[in-house]
Structure formats: structure tokens, C-alpha cells
Amino acid sequence: MIGAGAGVTGALITQLMQARTERAKWLRSKKEETYANALRYLLRMRNRRSAIEPGGKAYISEEHRGEWLSDIVDAQFWTSILTIYCSEDQKSAIAEVSQDLNSVVEDIAWGKASSMQGIEYVKYTPKRMARWHEKVLTCAREDVGATFE
């Protein structure tokens, strides 16, 4: 009787430990996926160009601005989701990027840059875009990179 109870208890403990391990693997996978998508769209938003002026300056042509705006919204989405999956140590840095992106999207969609002429408003964003990408990349290295060591 005691042996059977110990066997059942051992099986339950093993099952609980396995469930915890599986959850940790799933969470790590979601974190990696979310970081990868956030970084992908931050780079697309930062680097999308569709034409080059005769002097060599690349820019986004009017017919491709919708795609660029879509990249910005995708970056906004993935950084928002990242605030759910990132570790507590990275949460404030990721939340700062997310809030900054929310502000830019709001300005473009509803405020300062609501007209296509107003899209010039976002000229101030390239350095910010670079900072956002670097900040999320640094967080990913600290957060996800640690899981591969």
C-alpha cells in the first residue's frame, strides 16, 4: 500500500515537473518569436525605401507610403506584445519603445501628420527608429541570448 502510494506520488511529481518544463520551453519560444518579429518590423520601418533621387538620396515614394505605415503599425503591434513576453528586467525598456511607437502612430494617423503632406513630420524619426531597434536588440540579447548559454 505504501509502495503504491509512493509510486503514484512519484508519477504525479514527475508529471508536474514535465508540465513546468514544457511551459518554460513554450514561453521561451514565444519570447524568441516576439523579439524576432519586433526586430523585423523595426528594421523594415527604419530601412524601407522605394526610390532614389538623382543625387543618390533614397526615399519612400508616395505610392509606397502605405506599406511603410503598415510596417510602423506592425512594429507597434509586436513591441506591444513583447511587453507581455519579455522578462521583468527588460519590461521598462520595451514599454518605453512601445509607448514611443504608439505616440508616433497616433500622430501619423490622427494628429500632426494626418495628411500625406504632413508625413514630412516623421523626418525626426530616423534617429528614434535607430534607438528603438538598438534598445529592443539589446533587450533580446540579454533576455533571449541568456537562454542559449
Side-chain angles (χ1 to χ4, degrees), residues 1 22 26 36 42 72 119 123 129 131 133:
M1 187 94 156
E22 289 300 317
W26 176 84
L42 286 166
I72 294 172
I119 203 78
K123 281 187 174 179
M129 289 178 184
R131 283 194 311 268
H133 177 263

Side-chain angles (χ1 to χ4, degrees), residues 41-86:
Y41 286 105
L42 286 166
L43 278 176
R44 286 179 65 132
M45 158 184 89
R46 179 181 174 196
N47 296 321
R48 182 180 291 275
R49 301 294 181 270
S50 57
I52 300 175
E53 293 176 348
K57 182 179 178 186
Y59 65 96
I60 301 168
S61 62
E62 195 164 327
E63 66 266 13
H64 292 102
R65 287 182 181 162
E67 294 168 14
W68 181 67
L69 293 171
S70 180
D71 291 340
I72 294 172
V73 171
D74 285 336
Q76 176 193 28
F77 171 79
W78 284 107
T79 55
S80 294
I81 297 300
L82 191 51
T83 63
I84 297 168
Y85 291 111
C86 69

Side-chain angles (χ1 to χ4, degrees), residues 1-17:
M1 187 94 156
I2 293 175
V8 169
T9 302
L12 286 173
I13 290 172
T14 300
Q15 203 170 25
L16 285 172
M17 290 174 62

Side-chain angles (χ1 to χ4, degrees), residues 2-145:
I2 293 175
V8 169
T9 302
L12 286 173
I13 290 172
T14 300
Q15 203 170 25
L16 285 172
M17 290 174 62
Q18 185 176 1
R20 283 185 188 160
T21 300
E22 289 300 317
R23 171 139 173 81
K25 285 181 184 178
W26 176 84
L27 190 56
R28 183 174 55 241
S29 175
K30 291 300 284 183
K31 186 185 294 189
E32 291 167 356
E33 173 191 0
T34 308
Y35 269 114
N37 283 317
L39 289 165
R40 174 183 297 116
Y41 286 105
L42 286 166
L43 278 176
R44 286 179 65 132
M45 158 184 89
R46 179 181 174 196
N47 296 321
R48 182 180 291 275
R49 301 294 181 270
S50 57
I52 300 175
E53 293 176 348
K57 182 179 178 186
Y59 65 96
I60 301 168
S61 62
E62 195 164 327
E63 66 266 13
H64 292 102
R65 287 182 181 162
E67 294 168 14
W68 181 67
L69 293 171
S70 180
D71 291 340
I72 294 172
V73 171
D74 285 336
Q76 176 193 28
F77 171 79
W78 284 107
T79 55
S80 294
I81 297 300
L82 191 51
T83 63
I84 297 168
Y85 291 111
C86 69
S87 68
E88 286 299 318
D89 293 344
Q90 310 308 324
K91 204 166 288 281
S92 66
I94 298 297
E96 184 180 316
V97 171
S98 181
Q99 290 166 358
D100 213 8
L101 269 163
N102 289 343
S103 175
V104 168
V105 169
E106 186 176 321
D107 286 347
I108 291 170
W110 308 107
K112 297 175 186 171
S114 60
S115 71
M116 286 314 267
Q117 291 293 335
I119 203 78
E120 297 303 315
Y121 156 79
V122 298
K123 281 187 174 179
Y124 77 96
T125 60
K127 287 182 181 178
R128 288 171 75 190
M129 289 178 184
R131 283 194 311 268
W132 297 334
H133 177 263
E134 285 304 315
K135 191 174 281 192
V136 173
L137 183 59
T138 298
C139 290
R141 285 180 179 141
E142 293 174 8
D143 207 359
V144 178

